[in-house]
Structures are given as structure tokens and as C-alpha cells.
Amino acid sequence: MDDIVKQAMAKWPDVPDCYGWLGLDARGDWYMRDDQAQALGTFTQSKGSRLAHEKLVDFIGRNYASDKQGQWFFQNGPQRVYVELEATPWVWRLQPDGSVQSHTGSAARMQRCIVDEHGRLYLDTEQGFGLVHTQDVLQAADFIELGLWVPQQMPTRDLPQRFGYVRSPQQVNRNS
């Protein structure tokens, strides 16, 4: 986490959390969800505006974490901005040498792979659980064919509980 963020948290410890305004899609792109986007439905129904400003995207990535309940957030100074997930908290990119990198740019080591009933491929890493980016599925299929990866079958509905993440913190906090 950035030092400036830690300083802001110490200076203003009681800033209320923010829900519904930021989303992460299945391709690792961040989306800003204003009132109009939220009024049109959940993140999967209305994504909002894709964030393209490189420094802002990098800042979000450096300050992206989860709480004890498995709700992912971006620590924006003193305010915790909870993230609506289209799929998983991480989107994995496979590198030409076979290494794995997150949508935030950090390296990870694959511990196992999972395939759901729709044929989507996921990786469980020491950093957490995430979906393999659609552009990298062909390379991943090569690893599977070579026997380097042996996917385990698991239904999509079981993934959040099994791997400890919440897709919609906004829904959880609305209902509590």
C-alpha cells in the first residue's frame, strides 16, 4: 500500500466505506460506476465507464486488498472503496515463459488450476484465486495437454465460498 494512503488512513480513521462505485471485470479492467450505472443494475448488468488513465489504474492496483470477509477493496486514501467483481478478485495473465502475472502486474505462482462447468479456467495461487484471461486460454490449454497443469472440476457457484471471496460487497452490505 502506498505511504500516502497509510498516512491518510491515520489522519482520517473514520471515513465511511464506499460501495458499488468500482468494478473489476473478467478481463482485469476497472470500471467506475456512477449513480446512473448503478441505477441500471448490478455490475454484470451495467459496468459503467472503463478506467483508462494509466496512473489511476496503477494506483488502484497498488492499493487493492481484501478484508477478513473476503470483500475486495481499493484503499483510496482514508476511504475504502469496495469492488464489485464480475468473476474473481484476480485475473491472471500468462507470460511467454509460462509464468503468471495478475491484472495488477504482480507475479504469482500457480498452485492448482480449476475448470468450471462452462469451461472457464481459474488458477489458485499464493496470492489468491482468479480467472485466466480469455486471451491466454490457448496457452493454458497447451500446459494442460502437456500434463503440466491438471485441472480440477468445480461448479461456478462453489468458487466464492471455496476460495473465500465476495463478488458483490454492495449486496452483502445492503442485506446486513
Side-chain angles (χ1 to χ4, degrees), residues 44 46 98 141:
T44 55
S46 174

Side-chain angles (χ1 to χ4, degrees), residues 3-4 12 35 54 63 111 113 120 127 136 144 148 160:
D3 286 338
I4 194 166
W12 298 290
D35 285 328
E54 189 176 327
N63 296 286
Q111 296 172 336
C113 64
R120 290 181 295 234
Q127 192 170 316
D136 299 335
I144 292 168
L148 300 172

Side-chain angles (χ1 to χ4, degrees), residues 26-27 30 39 41 44 50 56-57 82-83 95 98 102-103 111 128 136 145 148 152-153 162 169 175:
R27 294 177 65 82
W30 299 104
T44 55
R50 184 177 165 274
L56 175 59
V57 169
Y82 281 92
V83 178
Q95 304 306 300
S102 75
H103 67 278
Q111 296 172 336
D136 299 335
E145 278 188 26
L148 300 172
Q152 300 171 7
Q153 294 275 16
R162 173 68 180 87
N175 298 331

Side-chain angles (χ1 to χ4, degrees), residues 5-48:
V5 171
K6 292 175 187 174
Q7 292 167 4
M9 290 168 60
K11 188 172 183 179
W12 298 290
D14 298 320
V15 174
D17 297 334
C18 178
Y19 295 92
W21 286 81
L22 185 64
L24 177 68
D25 77 357
R27 294 177 65 82
D29 291 325
W30 299 104
Y31 284 81
M32 183 63 60
R33 302 186 69 239
D34 61 13
D35 285 328
Q36 184 178 5
Q38 291 183 54
L40 293 172
T42 65
F43 180 56
T44 55
Q45 296 167 321
S46 174
K47 287 185 177 179

Side-chain angles (χ1 to χ4, degrees), residues 52-92:
H53 190 277
E54 189 176 327
K55 290 186 188 246
L56 175 59
V57 169
D58 290 346
F59 181 64
I60 292 171
R62 287 192 313 272
N63 296 286
Y64 180 56
S66 67
D67 65 17
K68 292 177 184 173
Q69 290 75 40
Q71 299 176 105
W72 287 80
F73 62 88
F74 154 52
Q75 190 68 47
N76 184 24
Q79 186 170 53
R80 192 168 275 193
V81 179
Y82 281 92
V83 178
E84 297 294 299
L85 304 173
E86 183 177 16
T88 59
W90 296 105
V91 177
W92 303 118

